[in-house]
Amino acid sequence: MSTGVGRASALLASGTIVSRILGFTRTLLLTVVLTGQSTVIGNALTLSNQMPVSLYALIGGGLVSAVLVPQTIRASRGADGGIAYINKLVTIAIVAIGSLTVVLTIAAPLLMRLTVSDEATYAVAVPFAYWSMPQIFFLGMYAVLGEVLNARKRFGAYTWAPVANNVVALATLALFLVLFGTVSQYAEGPLPPAQTAVLAGGATLGLVVQALTLALVWRRAGLHFRPDFRWRGVGLKATGLAAGWTFAMLVLTQAAGFLQSFVVSGASGLGNASSFALSNAWLLFMLPHSIITVSLATAFYPRMSEHAAEGDTAAVRDDLSTSLRTVLFAIGLAVAVLLAAALPVSAIFSHSSEEARATAPVLIAYVLGLLPFTALYLVQRTFYALADTRTPFRFTIAQLSVVVPGILLCSLLPDQWKATGIAAVISIGGTVQLVVAVVLLRRRLGRLLDPHLAGTIRRVATAALPALVVGVLALAAVGGFTGSWATSDRWGAALAAVIVALVCTAVYGGLMAVLRAPEIGLATGLVRSRIRR
């Protein structure tokens, strides 16, 4: 792995680690404010915050990451270094995303009907949504500004800006506790306007700060934005054509997401795992993915795009193999830890051990699909580097053919199992999607499973399974399955989770050392490159 990629990956990972720790703290503090993760208020707030994220993803999120980096790299080879393209692109983003944000904010009550089936939850979610919808614009600007910086190999600000977001969000939750205390777990009606403003408005304010952080560092990257409404002549047509298939893919994906939210919101009520619990489980699921996979892929992506632009498919294949080997090595340990510690980890976010037992299966169902999810992310980015957005649409159809019927079947489950069923369906659908994606990519690049990658897969399986078994035995030894201190309160649960994590890590690392895994060298190389930086 090159020093440049290693240093960029380490920088991204360090920023992501800090951001995720703060995000984890933010979610924990929110469960304190809302007295658990199975309340109507918590579900309503979760759904209102998910709506702008979903709509942004539908409108521009995936288009930005899938299209902008390759197109910006190609435009940068022009006489002006791509400046005209960037100015026109940002101008379009401001006008288009800003206009859509205004329209969608006004339509908040209608939009919330797409994801909320429970009337009590809907009544609370709509006031929250008015405060949350403006997030669309600031998410969009963060993504556009950040991906342009990434294309120019300026990774730091894009990774560290979410830290500012989480600091602001934590401050607003602390302010809520000071001003209003906690929300009763039995509360079902809309909160008073001031409480609504602090809870939902604080999340929006964090995204405002996040976007402004990137705007402030543009000059340091040699970028000087000037609004440009002459939108012809610099390749935006190619961007639009590439975006078409990605947009179609996102329409289908977000439609499935709306269906998922609609079904799980029907389980709202004290004691049931519903929208808030599903969101928290997803946060934990995404923690290792964000720290490891996204950081490495973001650093590899510009280099992979350059190799693709040069027509060097062998180099693209090597980039994919190296990134997969490094990521699977680390994610294998994360899977073992999260599965073994699912109960105490869930207890950290819960108001009682009973609530923890109700929500832990959701986390387990998600984590079973973490390895395929990780590999799929890298495979999908490879297609984007090849400027191919049509093929990802095809393998997304394969996923949705599993997910949509599965979600509909989950609507027939008892309320306490709907969230777990949906998480399991997502994992199964992602695995099917990976299989189809690999088959299609193999047709494009040739053989993908080289001896090095095959060896990594074998070693990960050999080390992760014993680590999982020993981790579960360690949890049983501290009384994790009998309602002891390991799940009865947050501090005890945190200690139990740490014990399980240390045991799993010792077993996994020991077995990898015995197997003389070369992936240890790849991973430590990233750390050393960061230290030398």
Side-chain angles (χ1 to χ4, degrees), residues 19 112 159 163 165 196-197 205 227 238 339 342 367 385 418 437 505 514:
S19 178
M112 292 310 299
T159 303
V163 172
N165 173 13
T196 299
L205 180 61
L339 288 177
V367 173
K418 284 181 179 176
T505 302
V514 169

Side-chain angles (χ1 to χ4, degrees), residues 32-278:
V32 172
V33 169
L34 301 176
T35 58
Q37 55 179 336
S38 60
T39 66
V40 169
I41 301 296
N43 291 328
L45 182 62
T46 299
L47 291 166
S48 68
N49 280 323
Q50 282 178 349
M51 177 58 73
V53 174
S54 297
L55 290 173
Y56 163 67
L58 179 61
I59 295 163
L63 306 183
V64 169
S65 61
V67 176
L68 288 194
V69 173
Q71 295 294 341
T72 302
I73 288 173
R74 287 169 172 79
S76 67
R77 295 174 179 174
D80 68 344
I83 297 300
Y85 175 86
I86 292 172
N87 283 335
K88 294 176 190 292
L89 176 72
V90 175
T91 304
I92 290 173
I94 292 173
V95 173
I97 301 177
S99 300
L100 284 166
T101 299
V102 172
V103 172
L104 294 174
T105 300
I106 295 171
L110 295 176
L111 293 171
M112 292 310 299
R113 281 292 182 192
L114 297 175
T115 59
V116 183
S117 60
D118 177 68
E119 287 300 322
T121 305
Y122 177 81
V124 182
V126 171
F128 283 146
Y130 280 119
W131 285 95
S132 300
M133 287 298 175
Q135 295 175 14
I136 296 170
F137 177 76
F138 299 103
L139 282 166
M141 296 316 302
Y142 167 73
V144 171
L145 299 179
E147 290 292 359
V148 170
L149 289 172
N150 286 344
R152 298 172 77 90
K153 299 184 180 179
R154 291 297 194 95
F155 303 108
Y158 185 65
T159 303
W160 285 89
V163 172
N165 173 13
N166 282 316
V167 168
V168 172
L170 282 168
T172 57
L173 289 174
L175 177 64
F176 188 97
L177 286 173
V178 171
L179 295 177
F180 310 113
T182 60
V183 177
S184 170
Q185 60 181 319
Y186 300 103
E188 294 190 355
L191 295 179
Q195 295 185 23
T196 299
V198 173
L199 275 181
T204 301
L205 180 61
L207 289 172
V208 173
V209 173
Q210 178 175 285
L212 287 176
T213 300
L214 289 191
L216 292 175
V217 302
W218 258 47
R219 287 187 177 273
R220 294 180 60 186
L223 296 167
H224 303 277
F225 171 64
R226 294 179 181 177
D228 189 344
F229 295 91
R230 295 168 299 173
W231 296 343
R232 292 187 179 184
V234 291
L236 290 175
K237 181 178 180 181
T239 301
L241 292 174
W245 287 105
T246 305
F247 183 74
M249 178 181 70
L250 289 168
V251 167
L252 296 177
T253 301
Q254 293 306 315
F258 291 153
L259 177 62
Q260 169 189 315
S261 297
F262 189 83
V263 169
V264 78
S265 68
S268 291
L270 193 60
N272 291 333
S274 186
S275 303
F276 194 21
L278 199 67

Side-chain angles (χ1 to χ4, degrees), residues 447-483:
R447 184 182 179 186
L448 301 177
L449 189 63
D450 59 45
H452 298 297
L453 181 56
T456 297
I457 294 171
R458 287 194 299 270
R459 284 185 289 272
V460 168
T462 301
L465 290 174
L468 170 60
V469 172
V470 175
V472 172
L473 292 175
L475 180 60
V478 298
F481 301 108
T482 60

